[in-house]
Amino acid sequence: MKILVAVKQVAALDEDFTIRADGRDVDEEFLLRDLNEWDDYSLEEAVKIKEAASQPVEVVLITVAPEHADEALRKCLAKGADRAIRIWDEAVEGSDPIAIARILAAAARRESPSILFAGVQSSDQAFASTGIAAAAFLDWPHAAVVSSLQLSPGAETAVFRRELEGGLLQEVEIQCPAVLTIQLGINAPRYASLRSIKQAAAKPIEVKSLSDVGLSAADVGEAGSASRVRRMVIPDKGRAQLIEGDAAAQARRLAEIIREFQGGAP
């Protein structure tokens, strides 16, 4: 059995930052990178299935990113993944979640996993669409926001629970291969030991190009995307003041502020 786990190295903002010269993203010098929190839970679920199985289970990582993502992949290898695949090409720059999903789906076809795990969303962009879009490209059944999973190696189906609105849980049986997006709290992600970190540092990372997964530049980037970033701006900082006094005084002052804001007479 093979479990494919899609992971992402996400970017967080430093306290002080500037927008790139083209106005479409933050300057890379001001970004702090780490493994996406949701993907940590996806990986843990895959490793738990592997450890509980009585037959061989291979956990394979896959990411679409430049070389700096190797750090996140090695972190996952140290936690129990068997292999890591990184797909990148300069043409991928500017790809939206749909184009990234197209790449993941193309790689999944070649790996032929029994199931594909992805995080519900990424903490940097939070589109929550990549995993589901990959399922559409693969024409596989899918489910989102999975909070509990029962999957036995070699089984043709999996049983899971997922969160619905209003605090409801839905229990579903799904045919494999399938795509599941994993929610926070499904498990407790482990910490990597010093020994496993050292071992992971020596493991190879398979680097593939677009042609290796059967895609071209026209399938990715802005040409292969359904959306694009036009510009990014830093919002103006608001102002706040404490209105003191009794209710009548506060009401009078609030009315004055509204008139001032509208350009009226005080």
Side-chain angles (χ1 to χ4, degrees), residues 3-18:
I3 303 174
L4 195 60
V5 183
V7 299
K8 180 182 181 182
Q9 187 184 51
V10 295
L13 293 177
D14 204 347
E15 286 189 14
D16 299 311
F17 63 91
T18 60

Side-chain angles (χ1 to χ4, degrees), residues 60-262:
V60 182
L61 308 166
I62 184 165
T63 192
V64 181
E67 188 175 0
H68 60 64
D70 285 357
E71 180 183 353
L73 290 174
R74 294 200 183 281
K75 183 176 182 179
C76 294
L77 286 168
K79 291 187 176 188
D82 299 295
R83 291 168 47 216
I85 301 170
R86 180 170 60 82
I87 303 171
W88 187 248
D89 189 291
E90 289 185 3
V92 176
E93 193 71 44
S95 296
D96 73 351
I98 305 304
I100 297 298
R102 184 179 289 111
I103 300 171
L104 292 175
R109 290 190 192 96
R110 281 159 172 71
E111 286 293 320
S112 298
S114 300
I115 201 160
L116 168 61
F117 289 166
V120 167
Q121 62 184 35
S122 63
S123 58
D124 54 357
Q125 296 181 330
F127 286 116
S129 57
T130 305
I132 303 306
F137 285 121
L138 289 165
D139 196 25
W140 288 1
H142 68 271
V145 201
V146 173
S147 57
S148 175
L149 176 64
Q150 299 173 35
L151 174 63
S152 299
E156 296 182 354
T157 62
V159 176
F160 63 87
R161 286 184 179 178
R162 67 190 191 104
E163 299 175 357
L164 301 179
E165 292 75 9
L168 295 175
L169 292 176
Q170 182 185 50
E171 187 167 286
V172 182
E173 184 177 39
I174 195 168
Q175 194 76 26
C176 294
V179 178
L180 302 180
T181 64
I182 306 299
Q183 176 64 304
L184 303 179
I186 189 173
N187 51 49
R190 69 193 65 195
Y191 291 95
S193 67
L194 181 59
R195 178 183 178 185
S196 61
I197 291 172
K198 290 181 178 179
Q199 291 173 336
K203 288 186 177 181
I205 293 176
E206 303 170 38
V207 181
K208 297 184 181 294
S209 65
L210 288 176
S211 59
D212 291 331
V213 295
L215 297 177
S216 68
D219 298 313
V220 299
E222 290 190 5
S225 297
S227 63
R228 66 183 179 89
V229 177
R230 295 180 60 185
R231 67 189 182 104
M232 188 177 289
V233 297
I234 300 174
D236 295 330
K237 292 183 178 179
R239 296 178 297 168
Q241 62 177 280
L242 178 64
I243 302 176
E244 298 180 342
D246 58 19
Q250 291 176 347
R252 284 194 299 272
R253 180 55 187 144
L254 183 58
E256 290 173 2
I257 293 171
I258 293 173
R259 285 194 292 268
E260 290 169 6
F261 181 77
Q262 294 175 336

